[in-house]
Amino acid sequence: MAQTSAIRSAVPLRLGAVREAIVDRLERVLGKSTENATRRDIYDALSIAVREELTERWIATGQRVARARVKRICYLSMEFLLGRSLINALSSFEDELLTEVRETVESLGHDLDHIAAEEEDPGLGNGGLGRLAACFLDSLATLGYAATGYGIRYDYGIFTQVIEKDGAQREVASSWLGFHYFWETGQGGIRHRVRFGGQCRATRDDHGRVRYEWVDTQDVWAVGYDLLIPGNRSPTVNHLRLWSGRAITPFRIEAFNHGNYAAAVAEQVDAKNLTRVLYPDDSTPQGKELRFKQQYFFVSASLQDLLGQHMAERRPLKDLSNAIAVQLNDTHPALTVVELMRLLVDTYDMEWAAAWKITREVCSYTNHTLLPEALETWPVSFFERLLPRHLQIVYQINRDFLEEVSAKFPQDLDRRRRMSLINEDGDRRVRMAYLSVVGSHRVNGVAKLHSRLMRETIFSDFAQLWPERFTNVTNGIAVRRWLKQANPLLSALLTEKLGPAWENDLEDLERLKWAADDADFRHRFREIKRANKERLAKTIHQLLGVTVSVDAMFDVQVKRIHEYKRQLLNLLHVVARYQRLLDNPDDPMPKRVVMFAGKAAPGYHMAKAIIKLINNIAHVINNDARIGDKLKVCFLPDYDVTLAQEIMPAADLSEQISTAGMEASGTGNMKLSLNGALTIGTLDGANIEIKDAVGDENIFIFGMTTEEVVARRAQGYSPADEVARNPALKRAIELIDSGYFTPDNIFDSKVVSDRLLSHGEHFLVLADFDEYMAAQARVDELFLNTDEWTRKSVINALSMGPFSSDRSIREYADSIWAIKPVL
Ligand SMILES: *Cc1c(COP(=O)(O)O)cnc(C)c1O
């Protein structure tokens, strides 16, 4: 902040003075001459000017919030996948300003899109969960809510994915902070002490009450950095506060004087290591101690921050739940429940019962997965060693809780065992999901199906005890990033027809539904899709050297690589299609470009084998002269928000083909449909709600339902039986298994085919093959009817009103947080 005001210029970024504002930052702040300014210099200068503008609005927002004393939302998440900031900020201002910036940059000899491409994505997340958090921050600001995101400022967020010559994924560490990152404000101005280890001492105070002291701890600073979050066409600018670890004593001069340099800086190294890296796995927690420490670190800093603010505003602690709502994005911040109790009881002297009431009123929890292996538990031994006082608090919460269980279900000892916050089987562990349920007043799933399954499976005992606690809020996406910025051509068309209201009210697109039947509108819609495809085709050529035809169907599956998402089902269709084309080169089926993108967790060997196989199959097919441009397969490396923004608007077909019951919601499905892709998908996650919104005739649904999946597994699923009764499947698997696509190493294919054929294969890939192929045949047939395809595509885009994250946030606000906007 000090730095910001020091460079605060007499030339603000205003309509009519954009050039002066940029030149001012170039010359005065960066010391560059306008004539010799590089693309990067212009990016830097413009970013500083935009950030200053945001800062001013942010300060004003803070003042309004403090005056109005409205309730604040604190969104705690270990991941945020924001994407780039420059265009996002610029396009949140008036249109005229963006236009003038564009023209000014041109007059300086540059193109705004190229300038914007200088920016590094702060990749502080793995996938859907982190992107959801970013979409929610966008909506919170746009709707005028006072909201703060809290997370971790990893030096190394998600790795950069490089594809080797042999097709394998290699992970490259890349720091978004390596090159000066302009979007942070308040560098290091805020810090809190976070404690670890030590021991817990019980004493009696003057009133004879037992007090707990946590002593002999090893402490670190959590230093806060803010990223500003502008609301679209809204005066509200909120912030995302990210914590970075620093030593209390960064340098030990006595050690240095004894010649031990390593010891002199060891404390700083340890503190910084705490926030060095994001664990790059989004579905199987590895139970690493460092991860546990990261969770406590950011929870403790965030709670101190918000309680400190509450006290600074001289509001009584007993009113905390009227002043603050804390949303736990998955169980990663579940220690909030325990840390808030510790702060209220030990630091602020509150009675246990009163503190517990407040804690539950403040906290609510969003569940993101039903996979048992993805439910976090932490060894009791970690607590003993690192958080001894917290362990006592967990035990006390558990005692009170199990008493409540016993009161309602007397004599049901097994229920107590099942529901206990401590898993006593094997090494004793704290069940973080149960802790989150017990410590929250609301628990939500992220799509209707998911929320039902959550109540019926992992939390069924809890739903019997507290039925009113469980609810659904279907995920959504930020319209600004996924339509306004990602697809400027379509946005312009929509605004031409409707005015700009749809930007902040996606349901407004409904009014344009007639246009699906209007030939002229369809024509323009098609031309836009074509232009977007041309842009992506150019990128594909640059990245892969593969030439793709924009007449072909762009068939995309872009998401983390995971067996449950079934990229292999898609790949089987690719192979079968290839064989069909070899059999009959004159087959009239439409051309397709099948695109994949997504990262595999570095330790997930099967996911990495899948990437390698996709690339090897792509290599063979793309270089088979017999096939030409009838079928191309592309794996686009290093999927991130920026690449997603380019792919979504160019897609014709959206592959959402997870095993039913396994994808909690999905949000990629929403982004693609909003940009006019038709979905081929299973009855899973939000696909079901998308089907209801667009109509059965405008989506390609196939495959087993959740119930059928469960039944099939119970019968003892046999892949061999599927192969035996299906010749096309048999042939495709055999071609893969033969090593045809991986002549240098047959094993690269066999690991994958063996998995598909292994008895009881958990994701039932082959069991859905038949129906998937039939659905793909319907896709082909429709695509040949360009006009009808476009009509359905228009209907898809215009039906996405319910999937705006603005709608999600309004539901959280009404049914979970009980808040009103400031403005
Ligand atoms: C939307 C998004 C996701 C989530 O995709 P799903 O298809 O819902 O799994 C993951 N990564 C990025 C970069 C995204 O933008």
Side-chain angles (χ1 to χ4, degrees):
M1 277 275 305
Q3 195 194 339
T4 306
S5 39
I7 48 175
R8 182 62 190 160
S9 156
V11 192
L13 187 74
R14 289 288 139 70
L15 214 53
V18 168
R19 189 185 171 91
E20 289 79 351
I22 295 176
V23 169
D24 174 72
R25 302 325 184 270
L26 266 178
E27 296 183 348
R28 202 175 45 81
V29 183
L30 300 168
K32 301 280 166 81
S33 78
T34 306
E35 297 73 59
N36 299 327
T38 63
R39 189 188 278 186
R40 179 74 202 189
D41 295 333
I42 307 271
Y43 167 76
D44 291 353
L46 180 56
S47 298
I48 293 168
V50 171
R51 194 198 65 200
E52 285 176 12
E53 182 61 30
L54 289 181
T55 305
E56 211 162 82
R57 297 178 189 213
W58 176 56
I59 290 168
T61 302
Q63 289 165 344
R64 275 200 308 278
V65 170
R67 258 201 314 274
R69 298 214 151 196
V70 287
K71 193 166 177 175
R72 281 196 184 85
I73 305 311
C74 303
Y75 197 85
L76 266 62
S77 178
M78 247 186 144
E79 302 187 13
F80 288 91
L81 265 187
L82 296 175
R84 288 180 181 153
S85 289
L86 178 60
I87 299 290
N88 184 56
L90 276 173
S91 72
S92 74
F93 304 153
E94 325 83 279
D95 289 341
E96 296 75 15
L97 191 62
L98 178 56
T99 306
E100 188 177 329
V101 167
R102 208 170 268 289
E103 289 165 1
T104 305
V105 167
E106 253 165 53
S107 76
L108 291 167
H110 293 274
D111 174 274
L112 184 60
D113 294 329
H114 294 155
I115 297 285
E118 287 291 317
E119 188 175 339
E120 197 90 44
D121 268 35
L124 304 180
N126 279 300
L129 174 137
R131 182 54 227 174
L132 182 76
C135 284
F136 281 2
L137 293 185
D138 178 303
S139 285
L140 283 160
T142 296
L143 296 173
Y145 290 109
T148 305
Y150 282 109
I152 297 177
R153 185 176 181 263
Y154 308 100
D155 295 278
Y156 297 93
I158 190 65
F159 61 85
T160 299
Q161 179 190 55
V162 174
I163 302 300
E164 301 276 32
K165 265 223 153 53
D166 66 358
Q169 164 179 298
R170 180 164 57 90
E171 302 87 27
V172 175
S174 56
S175 177
W176 60 296
L177 295 164
F179 224 53
H180 191 104
Y181 185 76
F182 281 102
W183 297 97
E184 293 179 320
T185 58
Q187 277 90 341
I190 301 140
R191 63 181 196 183
H192 299 287
R193 183 182 282 261
V194 177
R195 301 193 280 163
F196 291 100
Q199 47 222 295
C200 192
R201 275 208 304 252
T203 54
R204 274 186 197 282
D205 65 13
D206 300 345
H207 307 95
R209 206 156 62 108
V210 181
R211 304 290 311 262
Y212 293 91
E213 270 187 284
W214 184 16
V215 295
D216 303 334
T217 52
Q218 275 130 36
D219 302 356
V220 292
W221 289 126
V223 177
Y225 293 77
D226 294 335
L227 299 185
L228 301 188
I229 310 291
N232 186 55
R233 300 180 190 278
S234 146
T236 302
V237 176
N238 288 324
H239 63 277
L240 165 59
R241 186 157 289 172
L242 300 175
W243 302 108
S244 184
R246 289 292 178 281
I248 305 283
T249 312
F251 189 73
R252 294 207 176 272
I253 190 75
E254 65 283 18
F256 183 77
N257 288 341
H258 284 97
N260 194 343
Y261 183 70
V265 297
E267 195 180 323
Q268 183 70 298
V269 171
D270 284 351
K272 287 192 173 180
N273 278 347
L274 201 51
T275 52
R276 188 80 66 193
V277 54
L278 163 67
Y279 283 91
D281 194 337
D282 68 341
S283 52
T284 37
Q286 293 177 357
K288 291 282 193 303
E289 184 176 298
L290 181 62
R291 168 96 170 175
F292 180 67
K293 290 179 78 172
Q294 286 181 337
Q295 295 186 346
Y296 179 64
F297 172 80
F298 103 97
V299 160
S300 177
S302 305
L303 286 179
Q304 290 181 59
D305 202 55
L306 56 89
L307 282 183
Q309 186 169 25
H310 184 81
M311 303 311 276
E313 289 173 4
R314 298 172 181 281
R315 301 176 72 168
L317 256 191
K318 66 175 175 42
D319 285 353
L320 192 67
S321 62
N322 296 324
I324 289 165
V326 174
Q327 189 67 33
L328 311 178
N329 195 24
D330 213 324
T331 57
H332 314 150
L335 285 166
T336 298
V337 172
V338 193
E339 175 71 350
L340 185 53
M341 284 301 288
R342 186 186 72 83
L343 289 167
L344 293 177
V345 172
D346 293 358
T347 307
Y348 292 102
D349 236 359
M350 195 178 275
E351 294 287 341
W352 178 275
W356 183 241
K357 180 165 181 291
I358 289 176
T359 297
R360 264 196 339 212
E361 283 169 0
V362 165
C363 295
S364 41
Y365 154 56
T366 304
N367 172 271
H368 284 273
T369 176
L370 308 173
L371 306 183
E373 71 272 19
L375 292 177
E376 280 190 310
T377 60
W378 289 114
V380 165
S381 61
F382 283 10
F383 280 83
E384 285 167 343
R385 194 150 21 87
L386 295 165
L387 301 175
R389 174 62 183 136
H390 295 77
L391 184 57
Q392 292 181 334
I393 294 172
V394 169
Y395 284 154
Q396 182 63 51
I397 294 172
N398 199 32
R399 268 194 297 274
D400 295 352
F401 163 59
L402 291 178
E403 253 174 48
E404 191 177 339
V405 174
S406 296
K408 178 129 186 211
F409 304 97
Q411 258 92 54
D412 193 344
L413 276 182
D414 193 59
R415 185 180 294 266
R416 279 176 61 107
R417 183 194 59 76
R418 286 199 310 267
M419 296 180 78
S420 173
L421 300 186
I422 311 293
N423 183 350
E424 308 275 356
D425 308 337
D427 66 333
R428 302 176 70 237
R429 288 173 165 265
V430 180
R431 295 161 160 159
M432 303 309 277
Y434 292 3
L435 175 63
S436 304
V437 173
V438 171
S440 297
H441 66 286
R442 284 286 182 282
V443 177
N444 75 287
V446 290
K448 284 178 190 164
L449 172 69
H450 167 71
S451 295
R452 174 169 71 79
L453 296 173
M454 176 184 82
R455 282 191 301 263
E456 291 174 356
T457 62
I458 55 171
F459 297 144
S460 60
D461 286 326
F462 293 85
Q464 283 177 31
L465 186 63
W466 299 310
E468 69 294 339
R469 194 168 295 194
F470 293 87
T471 185
N472 171 251
V473 181
T474 299
N475 283 167
I477 55 171
V479 179
R480 278 67 62 180
R481 186 165 294 269
W482 297 110
L483 182 53
K484 188 184 179 186
Q485 293 155 46
N487 200 340
L489 297 174
L490 181 55
S491 298
L493 176 61
L494 296 173
T495 299
E496 177 193 316
K497 298 289 179 192
L498 292 169
W502 60 268
E503 289 178 14
N504 288 0
D505 175 15
L506 197 61
E507 312 264 355
D508 199 45
L509 295 185
E510 284 278 334
R511 284 201 294 126
L512 201 55
K513 278 281 179 68
W514 58 267
D517 294 314
D518 181 84
D520 178 56
F521 186 89
R522 282 200 304 272
H523 174 74
R524 293 183 63 188
F525 193 90
R526 198 152 55 230
E527 290 300 305
I528 288 167
K529 180 63 79 181
R530 195 179 174 85
N532 291 332
K533 288 169 75 171
E534 271 160 7
R535 187 172 62 137
L536 182 58
K538 219 178 268 173
T539 301
I540 289 173
H541 189 79
Q542 278 164 11
L543 290 174
L544 307 174
V546 175
T547 305
V548 300
S549 162
V550 293
D551 295 327
M553 181 197 309
F554 280 17
D555 169 351
V556 313
Q557 187 172 20
V558 291
K559 47 182 77 250
R560 287 296 288 237
I561 310 297
H562 201 290
E563 286 169 281
Y564 87 78
K565 292 178 183 275
R566 298 202 296 191
Q567 278 90 0
L568 287 175
L569 182 56
N570 187 341
L571 207 53
L572 284 170
H573 167 248
V574 168
V575 171
R577 199 175 180 89
Y578 174 60
Q579 291 174 310
R580 210 171 112 196
L581 283 168
L582 290 181
D583 288 350
N584 180 9
D586 299 324
D587 192 300
M589 67 178 129
K591 298 178 198 168
R592 285 208 199 201
V593 182
V594 181
M595 301 177 195
F596 295 87
K599 294 174 186 177
Y604 186 177
H605 299 294
M606 187 50 59
K608 294 184 79 168
I610 291 168
I611 290 178
K612 197 169 179 185
L613 185 60
I614 293 172
N615 279 306
N616 284 308
I617 288 178
H619 183 75
V620 169
I621 294 180
N622 296 346
N623 291 294
D624 190 329
R626 297 169 294 179
I627 299 301
D629 64 357
K630 289 186 195 126
L631 179 60
K632 293 284 180 202
V633 183
C634 300
F635 187 94
L636 305 184
D638 203 38
Y639 186 56
D640 63 6
V641 172
T642 295
L643 183 57
Q645 284 179 236
E646 189 168 343
I647 294 173
M648 302 304 175
D652 293 306
L653 185 66
S654 162
E655 300 266 357
Q656 308 299 335
I657 59 178
S658 52
T659 316
M662 302 199 79
E663 186 76 87
S665 161
T667 49
N669 46 6
M670 302 167 188
K671 300 167 197 168
L672 283 157
S673 184
L674 179 61
N675 282 280
L678 302 198
T679 303
I680 181 166
T682 47
L683 288 171
D684 200 13
N687 296 352
I688 298 171
E689 289 156 76
I690 291 176
K691 168 177 108 42
D692 293 341
V694 303
D696 291 3
E697 64 289 3
N698 300 309
I699 189 168
F700 302 95
I701 295 292
F702 72 95
M704 289 175 285
T705 61
T706 303
E707 283 67 29
E708 286 164 351
V709 165
V710 170
R712 184 62 87 85
R713 284 192 188 130
Q715 285 161 17
Y717 163 61
S718 162
D721 293 352
E722 305 299 321
V723 174
R725 64 175 178 71
N726 189 330
L729 173 59
K730 182 160 188 283
R731 229 178 133 210
I733 290 260
E734 278 175 358
L735 189 64
I736 293 172
D737 192 67
S738 73
Y740 176 87
F741 297 106
T742 58
D744 294 342
N745 189 354
I746 290 185
F747 187 71
D748 281 343
S749 296
K750 283 217 178 290
V751 277
V752 177
S753 51
D754 284 355
R755 173 68 68 114
L756 289 174
L757 294 168
S758 63
H759 188 79
E761 189 272 315
H762 191 64
F763 307 97
L764 299 109
V765 176
L766 306 190
D768 269 341
F769 178 81
D770 262 353
E771 277 207 38
Y772 181 56
M773 291 297 285
Q776 288 289 17
R778 285 184 273 136
V779 170
D780 282 336
E781 189 185 310
L782 184 69
F783 195 74
L784 291 172
N785 183 347
T786 308
D787 217 38
E788 189 57 15
W789 180 281
T790 308
R791 203 178 66 80
K792 291 180 190 292
S793 169
V794 170
I795 292 172
N796 264 265
L798 298 179
S799 303
M800 285 301 108
F803 301 97
S804 163
S805 47
D806 300 348
R807 188 269 314 146
S808 310
I809 288 301
R810 284 201 186 91
E811 288 182 15
Y812 278 97
D814 290 348
S815 68
I816 297 179
W817 303 328
I819 52 163
K820 305 238 171 324
V822 204
L823 303 162

